[in-house]
Amino acid sequence: MRIRFGAFVLDEEARQLERGGHPIHLTPKALELLELLMERRPNAVTKAEIHDRLWPNTFVADVNLPVLVHELREALEDDPHEPHFLRTVTRFGYAFCGTARPEPEAPEWAATCPFEYRLIWGIREIALQPGDNLLGRTHDATIWVDHSSVSRRHALLRVGEHGASLEDCGSRNGTYLGGDRVTEAVPLRDGDRILLGSALLVFRCFARDKVSTAAEAAVAPTGPLGVEEPGPPHSHV
């Protein structure tokens, strides 16, 4: 089963943590800790139970568990003081506190689709999944765009059998495509430049047999434009 939480996916069968289609390295014990907390969510798991699961019939120093928790938080970019995924339960243990859901199986057409779709933001190149991809600042977003001009649930990028489309989710600073404000679902083409508030992203469409990176994409590097409130969109693009 593949479980999505925020921009991350835990693939239980492959025993792999992913973000944007790219694997994130975790030591085996840190991955096992994540799997345990995910299984027991939203309940807290005692330190004793965690020790029994990770180190059965073995004595280990108490410091080992905090080290794994730190590794997991680093991988998930989770702040222990304002946790989105991993909550410390004082004098008890830990709990997974995020919203997690099984990732739906890819539709039949996805296996034979000759193209794959990606978004480029700065140096990040993010694979888009078949179906709905939420863009925004909430940790439940498929594509997490951490910029002050971006709303928590800013826009929806939908990948379907015949292409991809973009629509705004009632964002505060608006969604723009090619200089025009998005007021209804609009189709996307390779190289389209998307403004979420003042954060600039580029939509890319590649043939599946083409190896690509953000550096190879024939577009300028993207990222926040350095303004908080977008003026006329043509002034930014």
Side-chain angles (χ1 to χ4, degrees):
M1 179 185 296
R2 290 170 58 86
I3 302 175
R4 176 173 291 279
F5 56 102
F8 300 93
V9 173
L10 175 62
D11 190 327
E12 295 181 325
E13 293 185 3
R15 302 204 75 240
Q16 177 71 62
L17 178 66
E18 301 173 2
R19 180 174 186 172
H22 300 286
I24 296 176
H25 174 73
L26 285 177
T27 60
K29 292 298 184 185
L31 183 62
E32 194 171 353
L33 174 59
L34 177 59
E35 291 172 336
L36 172 59
L37 297 178
M38 192 71 73
E39 288 171 12
R40 298 288 297 276
R41 70 184 190 278
N43 298 330
V45 185
T46 67
K47 293 179 182 179
E49 288 179 277
I50 295 173
H51 275 272
D52 288 344
R53 171 74 170 264
L54 270 58
W55 300 283
N57 303 315
T58 304
F59 174 80
V60 295
D62 290 340
V63 71
N64 284 27
L65 182 54
V67 169
L68 289 183
V69 170
H70 177 75
E71 178 187 346
L72 204 48
R73 283 178 168 145
E74 285 283 305
L76 300 176
E77 300 179 0
D78 206 30
D79 184 348
H81 302 292
E82 297 182 7
H84 293 281
F85 301 121
L86 187 56
R87 177 172 63 92
T88 299
V89 183
T90 306
R91 298 182 180 179
F92 186 84
Y94 300 94
F96 184 87
C97 59
T99 300
R101 60 188 183 278
E103 192 172 68
E105 292 187 11
E108 292 184 6
W109 59 261
T112 57
C113 180
F115 301 103
E116 60 180 84
Y117 304 99
R118 304 183 188 182
L119 273 183
I120 296 173
W121 184 49
I123 62 172
R124 290 176 57 196
E125 183 173 344
I126 307 153
L128 297 168
Q129 304 301 316
D132 292 348
N133 295 264
L134 177 64
L135 284 62
R137 280 198 303 123
T138 173
H139 279 262
D140 293 334
T142 312
I143 311 297
W144 184 39
V145 184
D146 188 20
H147 187 254
S148 59
S149 69
V150 176
S151 298
R152 288 175 56 80
R153 301 177 64 86
H154 197 109
L156 192 67
L157 200 160
R158 181 172 288 123
V159 174
E161 183 174 4
H162 302 294
S165 63
L166 177 72
E167 59 186 275
D168 185 70
C169 294
S171 64
R172 183 188 65 180
N173 291 326
T175 300
Y176 298 88
L177 176 66
D180 297 322
R181 185 158 189 161
V182 174
T183 57
E184 59 183 0
V186 292
L188 290 172
R189 298 176 299 177
D190 182 40
D192 275 345
R193 299 163 75 84
I194 299 168
L195 276 175
L196 305 182
S198 56
L200 175 64
L201 303 91
V202 177
F203 173 77
R204 298 307 314 268
C205 172
F206 296 104
R208 282 194 179 275
D209 59 355
K210 176 178 172 57
V211 177
S212 67
T213 65
E216 292 171 336
V219 293
T222 67
L225 299 181
V227 293
E228 297 304 316
E229 298 294 339
H234 63 269
S235 66
H236 300 307
V237 180

